């Protein structure tokens, strides 16, 4: 039986309260689908913006400093150990976005928009300047692309990526537009270049798309297309190529263990995507049958659905048993792995346990009431392990480790322990102490909404197994990708 949980009056772990800080909405015109109708190439690089608002003197220097000192580490989340800050070494290596922005103004404006959003959020002020920079970044992309070569440019690709992160950080719904553009641009870039110059960026978009899929607000089109065409970046691509972090081939202490770590990470992430795709399919089938009044037909399908889920669960367990070298597990346990190897392993460790919880609880709306109680022990164990890891993350003040947020959210909603629910909520609030935008806050608000729905059902029927967190998200209009920005 689920425990009734109540919100504490204050959090012993909590930091600043961002409840009153929210972004201002604005509209975005979609790209035309025909590249021949897209604007003129030279103005991508040189046309002055039509906006008359000019940032105050020194504003861009302040924004760039904030990007380098704060935003970048929250985007990358994992860096090399012991960077020499006195020499300007951030621990991430040369910043790809700054390099490309030096010759592509829309990307520079996008970076300024993201940095402005972060400053406005942290200072509790309105993000007017962020919106101005956003429009300055977006306008050339909407109006001044004439050819596939323009569309395939590194600048256009990276600008849309940064604007995607902006929308996720702002907890606004327009992220889907940029994800759709990135899907098309990625396909065009393969046609133009033969292979993707920045596979690490493509991989990060895959992770974002997978999170959107698992949150029930995406269709997984980006990663599905890559899987279908065989263009998912390989572990070797991620080791050698430039991206969000310095290539591992240039960091000698990582070389022995990074290939196996990335193999494991890639395998679990692709299984997470398959899990999300299956859940989307099952939820669509259940919704259609309910709308047609075919409740008994839907219930008759549950054994087949459970079999499909069990096969994916076994694939996850098999990946854990066979793709994780004993030395990697021992090194993580003993705290002796290089920092980035440790971080990627921990990211995957949490994602694996989140996937097991998800597979038992979130594949269709009535899953837990349609399934026997044999799953309870595994869910409880995974939730406890996730909370333990995030507790250590908070203790170390590693608030940039946004990859812990979605697993922590699932642990909180799935555990039947009132104490663990309270701890998950306090840890979530603690992670808000450092945020690029409203994404962490929105995830915490969703967690609270689910807790309230669970409490209400507990009072009425004595359990909360029939509370569907994705439906709660829809009803609460909290459509958020739990990505931890």
């Amino acid at each position: 039986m689920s425990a009734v949980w109540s919100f504490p009056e204050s959090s012993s772990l909590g930091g600043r309260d961002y409840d009153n800080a929210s972004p201002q909405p604005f509209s975005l015109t979609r790209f035309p689908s025909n590249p021949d109708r897209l604007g003129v190439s030279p103005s991508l690089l040189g046309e002055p913006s039509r906006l008359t608002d000019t940032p105050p003197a020194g504003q861009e220097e302040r924004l760039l400093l904030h990007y380098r000192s704060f935003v970048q580490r929250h985007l990358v989340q994992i860096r090399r150990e012991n960077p020499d800050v006195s020499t300007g070494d951030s621990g991430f290596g040369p910043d790809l976005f700054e390099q490309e922005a030096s010759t592509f103004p829309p990307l520079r404006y996008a970076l300024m928009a993201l940095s402005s959003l972060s400053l406005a959020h942290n200072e509790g002020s309105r993000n007017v300047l962020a919106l101005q920079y956003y429009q300055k970044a977006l306008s050339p992309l909407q109006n001044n692309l004439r050819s596939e070569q323009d569309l395939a440019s590194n600048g256009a690709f990276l600008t849309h990526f940064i604007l995607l992160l902006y929308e996720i950080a702002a907890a606004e719904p327009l992220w889907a537009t940029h994800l759709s553009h990135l899907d098309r641009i990625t396909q065009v870039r393969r046609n133009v270049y033969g292979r993707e110059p920045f596979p690490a960026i493509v991989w990060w978009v895959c992770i974002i798309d997978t999170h959107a899929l698992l949150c029930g607000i995406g269709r997984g089109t980006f990663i599905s297309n890559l899987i279908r065409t065989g263009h998912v970046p390989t572990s070797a691509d991620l080791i050698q190529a430039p991206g969000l972090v310095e290539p591992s081939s240039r960091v000698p202490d990582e070389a022995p263990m990074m290939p196996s770590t990335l193999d494991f990470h890639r395998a679990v992430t692709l299984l997470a995507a398959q899990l999300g795709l299956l859940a989307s399919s099952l939820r669509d089938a259940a919704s259609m049958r309910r709308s047609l009044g075919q409740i008994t037909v839907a219930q008759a399908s549950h054994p087949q659905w459970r079999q499909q889920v069990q096969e994916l669960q076994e694939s996850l367990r098999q990946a854990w048993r066979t793709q994780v070298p004993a030395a990697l597990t021992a090194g993580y346990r003993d705290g002796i792995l290089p920092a980035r190897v440790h971080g990627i392993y921990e990211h995957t460790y949490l994602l694996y346990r989140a996937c097991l919880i998800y597979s038992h609880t979130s594949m269709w709306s009535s899953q837990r009431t349609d399934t026997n109680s044999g799953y309870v022990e595994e869910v409880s164990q995974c939730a406890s392990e996730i909370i333990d890891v995030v507790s250590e993350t908070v203790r170390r003040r590693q608030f940039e480790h946004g990859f812990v947020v979605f697993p922590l959210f699932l642990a909180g909603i799935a555990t039947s322990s009132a104490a663990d629910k309270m701890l998950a909520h306090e840890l979530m609030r603690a992670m808000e102490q450092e945020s690029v935008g409203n994404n962490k806050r929105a995830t915490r608000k969703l967690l609270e909404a689910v807790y309230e729905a669970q409490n209400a059902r507990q009072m009425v029927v004595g359990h909360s197994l029939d509370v569907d967190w994705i439906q709660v998200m829809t009803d609460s209009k909290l459509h958020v990708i739990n990505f931890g920005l």
Side-chain angles (χ1 to χ4, degrees), residues 71-108:
V71 175
Q72 186 196 40
R73 63 186 174 90
H74 284 268
L75 301 188
V76 178
Q77 302 187 5
I78 301 166
R79 63 176 173 176
R80 284 187 287 105
E81 53 210 324
N82 303 321
D84 185 355
V85 293
S86 66
T87 64
D89 181 8
S90 64
F92 302 112
D95 186 85
L96 171 65
F97 304 111
E98 281 196 62
Q99 291 175 348
E100 293 293 330
S102 66
T103 58
F104 195 80
L107 177 56
R108 179 167 61 87

Side-chain angles (χ1 to χ4, degrees), residues 75 77 160-169 175-176 178-180 182 200-223 244 265 269 273 347 351 406 439 480-485:
L75 301 188
Q77 302 187 5
H160 270 296
F161 177 71
I162 292 296
L163 295 180
L164 169 65
L165 295 179
Y166 178 103
E167 293 292 350
I168 293 172
W175 59 268
H178 292 294
L179 190 57
S180 176
L182 285 167
I201 303 298
V202 172
W203 181 244
W204 270 95
V205 180
C206 287
I207 293 173
I208 292 170
D209 197 29
T210 297
H211 277 72
L213 187 58
L214 292 171
C215 291
I217 56 174
R219 305 301 296 180
T221 303
F222 185 91
I223 194 165
L244 285 178
H265 174 67
T269 302
H347 182 180
L351 180 60
F406 183 57
N439 186 262
V480 59
I481 301 178
N482 300 320
F483 198 63
L485 286 178

Side-chain angles (χ1 to χ4, degrees), residues 5 7 425 429 443-453:
W5 182 90
F7 294 108
H425 179 262
R429 185 178 283 278
T443 303
R444 191 253 303 165
K445 299 293 284 184
L446 176 58
L447 181 66
E448 292 172 356
V450 175
Y451 282 1
E452 289 172 355

Side-chain angles (χ1 to χ4, degrees), residues 209-274:
D209 197 29
T210 297
H211 277 72
L213 187 58
L214 292 171
C215 291
I217 56 174
R219 305 301 296 180
T221 303
F222 185 91
I223 194 165
S224 294
N225 285 339
L226 291 177
I227 292 172
R228 177 177 52 80
T229 59
H231 288 106
V232 177
T234 66
S235 300
D237 291 333
L238 301 178
I239 288 174
Q240 298 294 333
L244 285 178
V245 295
E246 188 174 13
S248 196
S249 56
R250 300 178 192 167
V251 186
D253 65 331
E254 296 179 352
M257 306 200 80
M258 186 62 85
S260 58
T261 306
L262 284 173
D263 284 343
F264 173 48
H265 174 67
R266 183 178 183 275
V268 171
T269 302
L270 290 177
L271 286 169
Q274 291 179 43

